[in-house]
Amino acid sequence: QVQLVESGGGSVQAGGSLRLSCTVSVVWYGYMAWFRQAPGKEREGVAAIRGGGDTAYYADSVKGRFTISQLSARTLYLRMDSLKPEDTAMYYCAILAGRPPPYEARYWGQGTQVTVSS
C-alpha cells in the first residue's frame, strides 16, 4: 500500500516562507506533485516534478515563488517563498498517473495546512 505523509505546514505572515516535505512509503521514479485546496474551492495542482528532478511544472499562480524538488525517490519538497494570503489552503502531496498537465493523481497524502495572514 502506497502512503504519503506531508509535514511542514503552519501559519506565517504574508511575505514569509515555508518548506513542505512529503515522505513516500515506496520508491517512486515517476511524476509527483503538490496540490492545494482552499475552502470553497476545487483542489488544484500547483507544482509537479519528474523523478530525478530534471523537469518541473508550476501553476501560473505560484511560478517564481514556489520551488518543487526531491531529496530522493521517497522524499519530496515544496519551498514556498513570498507567501500571500491567497496561498492559504490545505496542501497535499500526490503521486501522479502521468506527465502533467493534467494533474491526475493516483495516490494522495492526508494534507498539511498552510495559513498566510496579511
Side-chain angles (χ1 to χ4, degrees):
Q1 183 176 359
V2 178
Q3 293 183 323
L4 298 89
V5 179
E6 303 95 334
S7 61
S11 297
V12 65
Q13 289 191 327
S17 299
L18 284 173
R19 188 183 76 169
L20 306 182
S21 300
C22 174
T23 301
V24 187
S25 62
V26 298
V27 173
W28 188 261
Y29 295 107
Y31 290 90
M32 295 188 66
W34 288 95
F35 289 72
R36 68 184 180 187
Q37 186 168 21
K41 295 188 177 181
E42 292 188 355
R43 192 172 298 189
E44 63 171 344
V46 295
I49 193 167
R50 188 172 71 172
D54 60 341
T55 305
Y57 306 81
Y58 296 96
D60 288 343
S61 58
V62 306
K63 200 171 294 183
R65 300 187 299 119
F66 290 12
T67 304
I68 189 170
S69 62
Q70 284 183 294
L71 175 64
S72 68
R74 294 183 58 188
T75 305
L76 183 71
Y77 295 130
L78 184 68
R79 172 74 181 187
M80 304 183 295
D81 296 312
S82 302
L83 282 162
K84 304 175 181 180
E86 52 263 43
D87 294 318
T88 295
M90 185 72 78
Y91 284 72
Y92 300 89
C93 174
I95 287 175
L96 298 184
R99 184 180 68 179
Y103 283 74
E104 183 179 344
R106 291 181 62 183
Y107 303 100
W108 294 99
Q110 82 290 349
T112 185
Q113 177 68 37
V114 172
T115 302
V116 185
S117 58
S118 58

